[in-house]
Amino acid sequence: MILLDGKTLSKKIIQKIKSNVDNMPVKPHLAVIIVGNDPSSRIYVKNKKIAADEIGIKSTIIELPESTTENELLMKIHELNNDSEISGILVQLPLPQHINKNNIITAISPLKDVDGFHPENVGKLAIGIEPYYYPATPQGIIMLLDEYNIPIEGADAVIIGRSNIVGKPMAQMLLNRNATVTICHSHTKNLEDKIKTADIVISAVGKKIVRCKMVNKNSVLVDVGIYKDSNGKLTGDIDFDFVSPDCGFISPVPGGVGPMTIASLMLNASKIHNI
Ligand code: NAP
């Protein structure tokens, strides 16, 4: 078994982005909007700022109260879209319930949409045109697979989970690289058989899904899931201890997809499309 070491690769990528940014005459400037007081969101935003600072990407965090209306948030985005100082905009999700997430995602200029969630970027990905930005987690996973020279063309890839941020864009990116893709979800029949025969399995569910004897000796297993188990320990979708002796490659949690997502987001944040 070979470990897909996202922690080490992410450090290499961050160093590369840093040296690119060092050479840029105009530095990228990321605006991060956070609405409300969700503790996890605050930690994510803080970590994004730390990563940006390390690379030399300017960042401005805009903290808005829980009571912010959708209209007020749209006006803030409009202002940032028109601010030539700002090269990237990220609205931390989830948003308070009274704000329609899709209206917000659609309001961000596709040229500044560092999360790659705007319909123009999603649509470009779907029809095989280079988007301004790829969503961070799938882009990070592709970089991880490429680092270990894992063949994607012709591979049978099973993706478990069909979220807009991971499962669906992951499927598009693998399809664009000529993999044969199966997307599984909570209604999928015979999931175990599909996992067992796949060359690449990418699990983005948020609970234990891939267990002992479900994989084959060549399986490449990528664990996107991250949550705390009943003992408060961070864990993923794959039962690492039981599955890892039986597979070809496996990404750990933590230290696999998580750091790759941050590196990939920073790669996006380092791009300037509007200047
Ligand atoms: P999500 O919106 O939480 O949705 C979960 C997906 O899992 C849904 O598509 C659901 O199917 C499917 N599912 C649930 N139970 C299932 C089952 N028994 N069998 C097969 N599929 C099942 O997805 P997400 O936002 O992509 O997050 C998934 C996990 O990845 C979470 O743990 C999240 O924290 C983690 N995550 C990690 C990173 C990272 O950087 N490491 C980034 C993003 C997300 P239905 O659609 O039918 O409900």
Side-chain angles (χ1 to χ4, degrees), residues 137 160-163 166 185-186 204-207 209 224-226 258 261:
T137 301
I160 318 169
R162 54 174 165 179
S163 68
V166 184
H185 45 75
S186 65
V205 174
K207 58 186 174 200
I209 286 286
V224 184
I226 186 154
T261 297

Side-chain angles (χ1 to χ4, degrees), residues 44 136-138 141 159-168 183-188 191 203-209 223-227 235-237 253 256-262:
Y44 295 143
T137 301
I141 292 171
I159 299 167
I160 318 169
R162 54 174 165 179
S163 68
N164 289 340
I165 62 169
V166 184
K168 286 181 200 163
I183 308 177
C184 305
H185 45 75
S186 65
H187 303 263
T188 298
L191 181 63
S203 186
V205 174
K207 58 186 174 200
K208 280 287 169 280
I209 286 286
D223 198 342
V224 184
I226 186 154
Y227 58 97
T235 188
D237 294 357
V253 176
V257 174
M260 288 306 298
T261 297
I262 293 271

Side-chain angles (χ1 to χ4, degrees), residues 183-250:
I183 308 177
C184 305
H185 45 75
S186 65
H187 303 263
T188 298
K189 289 185 291 183
N190 306 325
L191 181 63
E192 189 170 339
D193 296 345
K194 292 178 173 66
I195 294 173
K196 183 124 200 162
T197 54
D199 300 309
I200 300 172
V201 177
I202 297 174
S203 186
V205 174
K207 58 186 174 200
K208 280 287 169 280
I209 286 286
V210 183
R211 295 181 178 276
C212 190
K213 306 231 183 298
M214 277 181 151
V215 301
N216 69 69
K217 67 177 176 24
N218 298 315
S219 306
V220 177
L221 306 175
V222 178
D223 198 342
V224 184
I226 186 154
Y227 58 97
K228 284 189 177 150
D229 68 13
S230 51
N231 301 317
K233 191 178 157 226
L234 272 188
T235 188
D237 294 357
I238 302 177
D239 204 343
F240 188 92
D241 292 344
F242 288 103
V243 171
S244 55
D246 295 336
C247 66
F249 294 82
I250 186 167

Side-chain angles (χ1 to χ4, degrees), residues 10 13-14 17 28 30-32 44-45 47-49 51-52 55 57 88-92 112-117 133-141 143 257-271:
S10 69
I13 293 170
I14 291 212
I17 303 169
L30 175 67
V32 181
Y44 295 143
V45 167
N47 289 342
K48 286 168 189 172
K49 179 157 177 53
I55 292 168
I57 296 172
I89 303 169
L90 190 158
V91 178
Q92 184 64 43
K112 300 189 180 189
D113 166 41
V114 292
D115 267 332
F117 296 163
Y133 302 93
Y134 290 95
T137 301
Q139 175 172 253
I141 292 171
M143 292 193 284
V257 174
M260 288 306 298
T261 297
I262 293 271
S264 169
L265 181 67
M266 289 302 119
L267 178 66
N268 286 352
S270 71
K271 293 180 180 165

Side-chain angles (χ1 to χ4, degrees), residues 26-249:
V26 178
K27 303 299 176 208
H29 188 165
L30 175 67
V32 181
I33 304 180
I34 175 165
V35 186
N37 294 312
D38 179 59
S40 306
S41 293
R42 288 190 165 265
I43 295 170
Y44 295 143
V45 167
K46 195 175 132 211
N47 289 342
K48 286 168 189 172
K49 179 157 177 53
I50 292 170
D53 287 350
E54 191 189 329
I55 292 168
I57 296 172
K58 288 191 261 176
S59 62
T60 300
I61 298 184
I62 299 157
E63 297 187 40
L64 301 175
E66 181 84 19
S67 58
T68 304
T69 65
E70 186 173 311
N71 224 12
E72 285 165 342
L73 182 54
L74 288 170
M75 271 155 53
K76 180 44 94 182
I77 291 170
H78 188 63
E79 184 188 313
L80 295 168
N81 281 343
N82 290 315
D83 184 343
S84 59
E85 277 287 308
I86 299 292
S87 53
I89 303 169
L90 190 158
V91 178
Q92 184 64 43
L93 300 176
L95 288 166
Q97 292 228 321
H98 63 273
I99 298 177
N100 180 320
K101 179 182 73 177
N102 287 336
N103 291 345
I104 301 305
I105 290 171
T106 309
I108 297 170
S109 162
L111 296 159
K112 300 189 180 189
D113 166 41
V114 292
D115 267 332
F117 296 163
H118 187 281
E120 181 174 330
N121 286 319
V122 175
K124 282 183 164 170
L125 181 58
I127 60 170
I129 300 177
E130 177 96 357
Y132 294 113
Y133 302 93
Y134 290 95
T137 301
Q139 175 172 253
I141 292 171
I142 295 280
M143 292 193 284
L144 191 59
L145 296 175
D146 285 345
E147 174 72 7
Y148 286 84
N149 296 314
I150 289 162
I152 296 177
E153 187 171 327
D156 285 330
V158 163
I159 299 167
I160 318 169
R162 54 174 165 179
S163 68
N164 289 340
I165 62 169
V166 184
K168 286 181 200 163
M170 188 77 252
Q172 292 292 353
M173 290 180 80
L174 291 172
L175 202 53
N176 291 350
R177 291 275 298 265
N178 296 324
T180 301
V181 181
T182 305
I183 308 177
C184 305
H185 45 75
S186 65
H187 303 263
T188 298
K189 289 185 291 183
N190 306 325
L191 181 63
E192 189 170 339
D193 296 345
K194 292 178 173 66
I195 294 173
K196 183 124 200 162
T197 54
D199 300 309
I200 300 172
V201 177
I202 297 174
S203 186
V205 174
K207 58 186 174 200
K208 280 287 169 280
I209 286 286
V210 183
R211 295 181 178 276
C212 190
K213 306 231 183 298
M214 277 181 151
V215 301
N216 69 69
K217 67 177 176 24
N218 298 315
S219 306
V220 177
L221 306 175
V222 178
D223 198 342
V224 184
I226 186 154
Y227 58 97
K228 284 189 177 150
D229 68 13
S230 51
N231 301 317
K233 191 178 157 226
L234 272 188
T235 188
D237 294 357
I238 302 177
D239 204 343
F240 188 92
D241 292 344
F242 288 103
V243 171
S244 55
D246 295 336
C247 66
F249 294 82

